[in-house]
Amino acid sequence: MGNVCCFFCGCVGQANIGVIERWGRFDRLAQPGLNFFNPFAGECLAGVLSTRISSLDVKIETKTKDNVFVQLLCSIQYRVVRQNADDAFYELQNPKEQIQAYVFDVVRAHVPRMTLDELFEQKGEVAKAVSEELEKVMGAYGYMIEHILMVDIIPDTSVRKAMNEINAAQRLQLASVYKGEAEKILLVKKAEAEAEAKYLGGVGVARQRQAITDGLRENILNFSHKVEGTTAKEVMDLIMVTQYFDTIKDLGNSSKNTTVFIPHGPGHVRDITDQLRNGLMEASSAQINAD
């Protein structure tokens, strides 16, 4: 009789790697697709490993250098190295627990040397330290570490509240400084505007008085030339009295219900005339001295 050979077949899915044993010992790796093995020669498909990237989320609680308890959420992305799948299959019974233990060890060795602010600023350094340690250790077991992500850093609730209050106080202080500077600028600009307005008002009054003086001088000269025998003093008295009575008339014709008491009489008119004439003469003298 001829020899009779009997083979069994097994299918290994895409992104997987099969482990074939012979009489209980590792024999070879089965690639994705259809694979044959001879059970009468002691061959069997011992197991299948996925070569896809796996993700493991690890939550670690530790303390910073400034005695703040924080929780770190770390995401580890890893995969089985196809060429070393036998090591991954036989060496580690639970790779997730092994990875988690190394992450705990590295994080708790680095974070206590950093303050909370430094931890937020340098979380990439912690992730780098974890990645280097895991690559060195897990590489011997047939695993490759793809990425280490520090997803979140969660301080204690009271610490977060205190940090928010500190930040709010700093922003309020800065806002007060800006508000004070704005009010200062407004006051300075307002004072400058008032000073400029007073200056321009004074210039206007001076020009008005100068115009009045020039007009009176011209009227006096014209009147003296046209009316013979009159002196400048008499003309000035006449103009002053005329303006005085015009003022009385304007007050009487005013529509506002205001009562004004004005001393009236020949003596008072003379006093008013003298005062106006003296004022004009002083203004003219000051103008001559200025020129």
Side-chain angles (χ1 to χ4, degrees):
M1 295 179 60
N3 294 328
V4 178
C5 294
C6 183
F7 291 93
F8 286 89
C9 63
C11 185
V12 178
Q14 183 67 30
N16 290 283
I17 193 75
V19 179
I20 296 178
E21 294 179 347
R22 186 174 185 179
W23 302 117
R25 296 179 61 184
F26 171 73
D27 183 62
R28 66 184 184 276
L29 295 175
Q31 300 300 321
L34 185 62
N35 291 270
F36 294 93
F37 52 90
N38 186 359
F40 293 99
E43 295 179 351
C44 67
L45 183 62
V48 176
L49 289 175
S50 174
T51 57
R52 295 185 179 92
I53 295 178
S54 300
S55 180
L56 174 63
D57 293 333
V58 181
K59 182 178 287 187
I60 312 129
E61 185 175 5
T62 184
K63 186 180 71 169
T64 62
K65 185 178 180 179
D66 47 355
N67 296 323
V68 178
F69 283 91
V70 294
Q71 288 186 346
L72 286 82
L73 182 59
C74 183
S75 178
I76 299 96
Q77 297 177 355
Y78 64 98
R79 69 190 306 169
V80 173
V81 180
R82 186 179 295 272
Q83 294 80 3
N84 301 327
D86 54 329
D87 292 332
F89 186 79
Y90 290 105
E91 295 294 336
L92 291 179
Q93 182 177 3
N94 194 330
K96 290 187 176 181
E97 289 185 0
Q98 189 74 15
I99 292 174
Q100 184 173 347
Y102 278 108
V103 172
F104 279 3
D105 182 67
V106 175
V107 170
R108 288 174 176 170
H110 281 75
V111 173
R113 297 200 296 264
M114 307 167 66
T115 63
L116 182 61
D117 292 336
E118 292 174 347
L119 178 60
F120 276 99
E121 295 173 359
Q122 304 175 19
K123 66 176 183 177
E125 298 297 327
V126 179
K128 182 179 178 181
V130 174
S131 178
E132 291 176 353
E133 183 68 20
L134 287 181
E135 286 178 358
K136 181 175 62 177
V137 174
M138 299 304 295
Y141 298 122
Y143 286 91
M144 177 185 294
I145 305 300
E146 295 288 342
H147 297 287
I148 302 290
L149 302 175
M150 285 296 171
V151 180
D152 199 4
I153 300 174
I154 308 172
D156 186 75
T157 305
S158 59
V159 176
R160 282 185 293 172
K161 183 179 179 181
M163 292 174 65
N164 290 333
E165 291 177 353
I166 291 173
N167 186 271
Q170 291 175 346
R171 292 182 181 275
L172 287 174
Q173 182 180 6
L174 186 61
S176 299
V177 172
Y178 285 150
K179 183 179 180 181
E181 290 295 331
E183 292 178 351
K184 176 182 176 182
I185 293 173
L186 289 176
L187 291 174
V188 170
K189 292 299 181 182
K190 183 178 179 181
E192 291 177 353
E194 291 178 353
E196 185 68 17
K198 291 179 179 178
Y199 171 76
L200 294 177
V203 172
V205 171
R207 290 178 179 177
Q208 180 185 17
R209 291 176 178 176
Q210 183 63 39
I212 293 173
T213 303
D214 295 339
L216 290 174
R217 184 187 299 111
E218 184 178 356
N219 289 334
I220 291 171
L221 292 175
N222 291 334
F223 195 88
S224 299
H225 290 305
K226 292 181 181 180
V227 180
E228 296 181 357
T230 58
T231 63
K233 179 179 180 304
E234 292 174 346
V235 176
M236 189 66 182
D237 292 340
L238 178 61
I239 293 174
M240 292 297 102
V241 172
T242 302
Q243 289 184 345
Y244 176 76
F245 283 109
D246 288 340
T247 303
I248 297 297
K249 180 180 178 181
D250 291 338
L251 290 175
N253 294 332
S254 176
S255 60
K256 297 181 180 179
N257 297 324
T258 304
T259 302
V260 180
F261 295 93
I262 300 176
H264 183 66
H268 292 100
V269 173
R270 183 179 299 274
D271 292 339
I272 293 173
T273 304
D274 293 338
Q275 292 175 7
L276 291 173
R277 182 173 59 255
N278 293 333
L280 291 173
M281 291 177 66
E282 291 175 358
S284 299
S285 177
Q287 180 66 27
I288 294 172
N289 293 332
D291 294 338

